[in-house]
Amino acid sequence: MEPALIGVRDALGPVRVRLRGGPVLSELTDRFGARAGAQVLAGEVVDAHGAVVDDATVLPAGASVYLYRDLPDEVPVPFDIPVLYRDDDIVVVDKPHFLSTMPRGRHVAQTALVRLRCSLGLPELSPAHRLDRLTAGVLLFTTRRELRGRYQTLFAQGLVRKTYLARAAVNPALSLPRVVRSRIVKRRGNLQAVTEPGEPNAETLVELQSPDGLYRLTPRTGRTHQLRVHMSELGVPINGDPLYPNIIDVAVHDFSTPLQLLAQRIEFDDPVTGSRREFVSRREEVWI
């Protein structure tokens, strides 16, 4: 966690940089350009203890400092983020397709987290879980840093019941409903997750809701791309999927063909109030 001394800018906290060792000003300027050096001279860079770094600071290899990232040029995602529910502790939204949950790689400002921090004026807003950039639907955030762990634990321990809707082709020979179990591994640097031999770590109940190809998917685990992998393995990949079964090169600014996967509903016992919570996407109306 970043030191409290350095705050949020452009709805983003600072990034941690591990140093090679030596004068900090020259290293940050060499690695990140004049903008990083200017942050040092302005007193906007701190070390791991919250002490301000200046032009005379020398730190050993392996030490860390915190500074603000430059925002990349991004194509705006032309969809709103409707708020389904908000109180002092949580915010629940209906995330659109094509919007990442939180900053990663080339997606920074055009993420649900940054856009909501700005629009709602909540600098400590944090996601309790994640949805893929291409998946739409119910997404829960906590409003204060001290609450984040309690809600994240619910998702990590499988205490949240999640229901998805998907559109895909129909195979009359496919016996449904069925529970799909497999071992899914997602390796860093690879776009696709893969199924490997071994103890299953992913489980999904797959049900056909209507003969025109509307499926209800109930994951009992939460592996990366789990629903997309399981539907592809059944021979009925989700409509609009650019990764499964084959990778399709789609421009980042092409919003014409959304993945037909919706996080329709989440249900859980609130760790703060103890009450039963249930939130349902309003986007399901266009699916049924």
Side-chain angles (χ1 to χ4, degrees):
M1 183 180 298
E2 66 270 12
L5 180 63
I6 190 167
V8 172
R9 174 185 291 176
D10 297 324
L12 291 168
V15 294
R16 179 187 179 191
V17 176
R18 191 177 297 275
L19 300 172
R20 299 166 183 156
V24 176
L25 174 59
S26 61
E27 178 174 342
L28 293 182
T29 301
D30 289 343
R31 292 173 62 180
F32 304 110
R35 180 82 177 270
Q39 287 189 42
V40 173
L41 298 176
E44 297 177 342
V45 179
V46 301
D47 66 16
H49 304 289
V52 175
V53 170
D54 60 26
D55 57 351
T57 301
V58 177
L59 292 175
S64 296
V65 295
Y66 293 81
L67 71 160
Y68 296 104
R69 76 189 81 187
D70 285 330
L71 297 181
D73 292 330
E74 298 179 62
V75 176
V77 177
F79 306 112
D80 294 331
I81 317 175
V83 174
L84 297 172
Y85 176 84
R86 177 180 178 181
D87 63 22
D88 290 341
D89 298 332
I90 63 174
V91 174
V92 183
V93 303
D94 219 352
K95 187 186 85 66
H97 298 285
F98 303 108
L99 194 67
S100 295
T101 297
M102 59 191 299
R104 184 177 182 184
R106 60 187 172 183
H107 304 289
V108 181
Q110 290 299 309
T111 60
L113 175 62
V114 172
R115 283 175 51 171
L116 288 167
R117 280 181 173 181
C118 292
S119 65
L120 301 179
L122 295 172
E124 292 188 7
L125 194 74
S126 296
H129 62 121
R130 300 185 188 187
L131 292 178
D132 288 347
R133 186 178 74 89
L134 300 183
T135 302
V138 181
L139 183 60
L140 185 147
F141 293 81
T142 59
T143 61
R144 302 189 306 282
R145 188 173 302 179
E146 63 268 22
L147 295 172
R148 179 172 52 194
R150 300 177 71 174
Y151 287 90
Q152 286 180 336
T153 297
L154 290 179
F155 288 89
Q157 294 183 348
L159 300 177
V160 178
R161 178 179 172 83
K162 296 177 284 187
T163 306
Y164 290 72
L165 296 179
R167 285 279 182 188
V170 175
N171 179 359
L174 184 63
S175 177
L176 295 175
R178 71 166 61 188
V179 175
V180 181
R181 298 181 180 90
S182 64
R183 181 170 185 81
I184 295 176
V185 177
K186 177 68 166 63
R187 292 187 172 84
R188 188 180 184 89
N190 293 337
L191 294 177
Q192 290 181 321
V194 296
T195 299
E196 295 185 345
E199 184 70 21
N201 61 4
E203 182 175 312
T204 305
L205 171 63
V206 179
E207 302 170 276
L208 182 62
Q209 289 290 100
S210 63
D212 63 345
L214 178 66
Y215 293 81
R216 181 169 67 182
L217 309 177
T218 307
R220 296 171 180 169
T221 53
R223 311 303 299 184
T224 299
H225 294 179
Q226 175 178 321
L227 303 180
R228 299 164 69 178
V229 171
H230 279 169
M231 290 293 284
S232 182
E233 288 181 341
L234 290 177
V236 285
I238 298 172
N239 293 347
D241 196 333
L243 290 183
Y244 303 95
N246 301 309
I247 297 175
I248 301 172
D249 187 18
V250 179
V252 69
H253 57 273
D254 183 352
F255 306 116
S256 62
T257 309
L259 174 72
Q260 296 294 289
L261 179 63
L262 175 72
Q264 178 204 24
R265 180 189 307 262
I266 59 172
E267 303 169 63
F268 59 92
D269 293 325
D270 194 292
V272 175
T273 67
S275 61
R276 186 67 178 174
R277 300 277 204 175
E278 180 178 350
F279 301 106
V280 181
S281 171
R282 295 172 186 160
R283 302 178 189 275
E284 67 176 319
E285 296 177 359
V286 303
W287 287 65
I288 296 174

